[in-house]
Amino acid sequence: MNILHLDAAITGENSVSRKLTADIVNKLKATHSNAHVVYRDLHEGVPAIDANWFAAVRLAPQDPTPAEKALIATSDAYLKEVQDADVLVIGSPIYNFNISAQLKNWLDQIARAGVSFRYTEAGPEGLLKGKRAIIAYSAAGTPIGSEYDHASGYLRFILGFLGITDVEFVAADRLAMDRDAGLARAQEALDKLAA
């Protein structure tokens, strides 16, 4: 089993989502002794896509400049980690009712027409099929699935758009209201999680 472990929280050791992703990965490793884990801390920086990225990655010039080659290599590296993974464990702290900018940048880097999805006569088709995603959702005040949770639905949609339809959440929400209860809900979800 190949596991891609992604963290995105800006709160360091105080991060609930980082603790949850570590617990999820440990649970998977306990059941799969041959598990191989690739770790990426998105907080260390994921370049946002821009006009230069579009010219290099999407337009794919025949003779890319050194700067364009660097942009292509970065995007390819993110995508290869996903392609090689059987399971994605994604930490998603909620900031202002949505996913972090770092996680959004990463998703923009891997959502590539003709590579991770394609357009067909029947509509778009995700090309990253056969993978499982487990999202560690943490929020101070945003209840998962609430009308002002703009993160969980988006993550389920964008991953599904890319072909990853087996998406589960381990949620520690409403932590500012009742931290112990939020952590208990996350532990219960973790305990029920099939490894």
Side-chain angles (χ1 to χ4, degrees):
M1 172 186 284
N2 291 323
I3 301 168
L4 177 57
H5 178 180
L6 301 170
D7 279 323
I10 62 174
T11 51
E13 293 178 6
N14 296 319
S15 167
V16 171
S17 67
R18 285 177 186 272
K19 181 183 181 316
L20 288 176
T21 60
D23 289 347
I24 294 165
V25 168
N26 286 335
K27 182 168 185 171
L28 294 171
K29 286 170 57 180
T31 307
H32 302 276
S33 58
N34 64 338
H36 173 72
V37 179
V38 171
Y39 178 75
R40 187 175 286 276
D41 188 345
L42 302 180
H43 176 56
E44 293 177 359
V46 179
I49 62 171
D50 59 12
N52 294 326
W53 183 92
F54 184 80
V57 178
R58 284 297 308 255
L59 299 182
Q62 290 217 344
D63 189 19
T65 67
E68 289 172 332
K69 287 179 182 176
L71 292 169
I72 294 165
T74 297
S75 185
D76 284 350
Y78 293 132
L79 190 52
K80 179 152 181 23
E81 289 173 350
V82 178
Q83 290 168 328
D84 291 346
D86 301 303
V87 180
L88 285 71
V89 177
I90 303 172
S92 182
I94 306 308
Y95 303 138
N96 301 316
F97 314 105
N98 213 330
I99 64 173
S100 71
Q102 296 86 348
L103 181 53
K104 177 64 165 67
N105 288 348
W106 177 81
L107 287 163
D108 287 343
Q109 288 280 354
I110 68 165
R112 291 171 49 187
V115 185
S116 57
F117 71 93
R118 67 181 173 187
Y119 294 108
T120 71
E121 290 181 8
E125 177 189 6
L127 300 176
L128 299 176
K129 296 175 182 165
K131 301 177 188 304
R132 176 186 184 194
I134 306 169
I135 315 287
Y137 176 107
S138 66
T142 305
I144 190 168
S146 68
E147 64 182 276
Y148 49 96
D149 163 22
H150 300 287
S152 64
Y154 171 72
L155 286 169
R156 189 178 297 281
F157 171 80
I158 189 67
L159 292 170
F161 181 83
L162 299 177
I164 304 170
T165 56
D166 183 358
V167 179
E168 303 164 83
F169 288 86
V170 173
D173 59 356
R174 294 167 279 172
L175 294 170
M177 291 78 161
D178 189 340
R179 185 176 180 83
D180 291 341
L183 294 175
R185 284 190 296 275
Q187 186 61 52
E188 183 179 353
L190 181 61
D191 291 343
K192 290 179 181 175
L193 195 66

